[in-house]
């Protein structure tokens, strides 16, 4: 009896995953262009006349978060991408003027990120979370907010923008990896 219940549960849980991945528009190959557009809009936000020169060493330390993106499951990847998108939107809503971002470029990026959020929502079951990723990402953006609050000079702007761009790039790479995995999984074997 217990074995039958366990098998039924496993089958149902795998079906839920399958249904979500099939309805997940974020996994469609066309969405690669969305990642490119987001990064292009991000690059256009940099204030005119500023350089991406280097800051004096050891002035502002930001932890390396690359390992956070070592995710292999589609649902967890979608949650991670959604969290980066949410954190980025919130951060720039508060700080785009302090960081002297180009207003039109910010508005375009915000629309693209909102669109990406909508795509991601179809991929994530109700109530699904990745608390560890969310906690680490939250702490990361709190640190970036602290940098902005303490000093908004060219060096601080550069550090913040380089780190947020890195997050967006890592989320885009994760998205691409999940798309390839999804495509390969759905190719019929000959």
């Amino acid at each position: 009896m217990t074995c039958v219940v366990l098998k039924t549960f496993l089958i149902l849980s795998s079906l839920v995953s399958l249904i979500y991945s099939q309805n997940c528009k974020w996994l469609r190959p066309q969405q690669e262009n969305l990642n490119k557009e987001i990064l292009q809009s991000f690059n256009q936000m940099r204030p005119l006349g500023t350089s991406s020169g280097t800051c004096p060493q050891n002035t502002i330390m930001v932890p390396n978060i690359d390992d956070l993106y070592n995710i292999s499951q589609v649902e967890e990847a979608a949650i991670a991408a959604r969290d980066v998108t949410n954190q980025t939107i919130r951060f720039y809503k508060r700080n785009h003027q302090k960081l002297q971002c180009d207003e039109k470029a910010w508005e375009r990026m915000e629309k693209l990120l909102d669109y990406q959020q909508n795509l991601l929502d179809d991929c994530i079951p109700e109530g699904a979370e990745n608390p560890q990723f969310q906690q680490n990402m939250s702490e990361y953006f709190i640190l970036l907010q602290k940098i902005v609050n303490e000093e908004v000079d060219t060096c601080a702007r550069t550090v913040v923008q380089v780190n947020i761009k890195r997050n967006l790039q890592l989320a885009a790479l994760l998205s691409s990896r999940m798309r390839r995995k999804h495509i390969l999984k759905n190719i019929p074997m000959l």
Side-chain angles (χ1 to χ4, degrees), residues 28-41:
R28 293 183 181 158
Q30 310 87 294
Q31 298 313 316
E32 285 297 318
N33 290 329
L34 179 60
N35 289 334
K36 290 176 188 171
E37 288 181 50
I38 289 170
L39 290 169
Q40 285 173 346
S41 292

Side-chain angles (χ1 to χ4, degrees), residues 20-143:
Y20 272 102
S21 70
Q22 288 179 349
N23 291 330
C24 183
K25 295 174 188 162
W26 174 67
L27 290 173
R28 293 183 181 158
Q30 310 87 294
Q31 298 313 316
E32 285 297 318
N33 290 329
L34 179 60
N35 289 334
K36 290 176 188 171
E37 288 181 50
I38 289 170
L39 290 169
Q40 285 173 346
S41 292
F42 182 85
N43 288 332
Q44 293 168 355
M45 286 190 340
R46 174 169 243 118
L48 296 175
T50 61
S51 68
S52 59
T54 59
C55 299
Q57 278 192 319
N58 299 328
T59 56
I60 303 172
M61 296 298 294
V62 179
N64 183 333
I65 57 156
D66 292 12
D67 289 344
L68 286 178
Y69 290 89
N70 288 335
I71 297 171
S72 60
Q73 299 301 316
V74 170
E75 183 182 302
E76 286 183 34
I79 291 168
R82 181 184 64 186
D83 196 50
V84 169
T85 301
N86 285 336
Q87 293 280 358
T88 303
I89 290 171
R90 276 184 267 168
F91 182 83
Y92 276 103
K93 278 186 177 181
R94 282 191 301 261
N95 298 299
H96 71 278
Q97 290 176 330
K98 278 185 188 176
L99 293 171
Q100 301 174 349
C101 296
D102 179 82
E103 194 71 31
K104 287 184 181 180
W106 156 240
E107 289 170 2
R108 172 145 172 74
M109 190 174 92
E110 183 180 25
K111 287 178 185 171
L112 290 169
L113 291 173
D114 282 338
Y115 178 69
Q116 182 175 28
Q117 251 180 335
N118 290 334
L119 295 175
L120 288 162
D121 287 342
D122 292 338
C123 305
I124 303 169
E126 187 81 25
E129 292 183 2
N130 183 342
Q132 185 64 45
F133 184 89
Q134 290 169 319
Q135 177 66 33
N136 289 331
M137 197 53 57
S138 179
E139 290 171 5
Y140 187 79
F141 272 88
I142 287 169
L143 176 62

Side-chain angles (χ1 to χ4, degrees), residues 166-182:
R166 181 72 183 142
N167 261 309
L168 292 171
Q169 289 171 327
L170 288 169
L173 287 171
L174 179 62
S175 300
S176 295
R177 203 170 65 233
M178 290 301 121
R179 283 186 196 101
R180 281 191 303 276
K181 183 178 176 178
H182 181 71

Side-chain angles (χ1 to χ4, degrees), residues 8-23 75 122-126 128:
T8 304
F9 175 76
L10 290 174
I11 290 170
L12 288 175
S13 63
S14 65
L15 284 175
V16 167
S17 258
L18 181 64
I19 291 168
Y20 272 102
S21 70
Q22 288 179 349
N23 291 330
E75 183 182 302
D122 292 338
C123 305
I124 303 169
E126 187 81 25

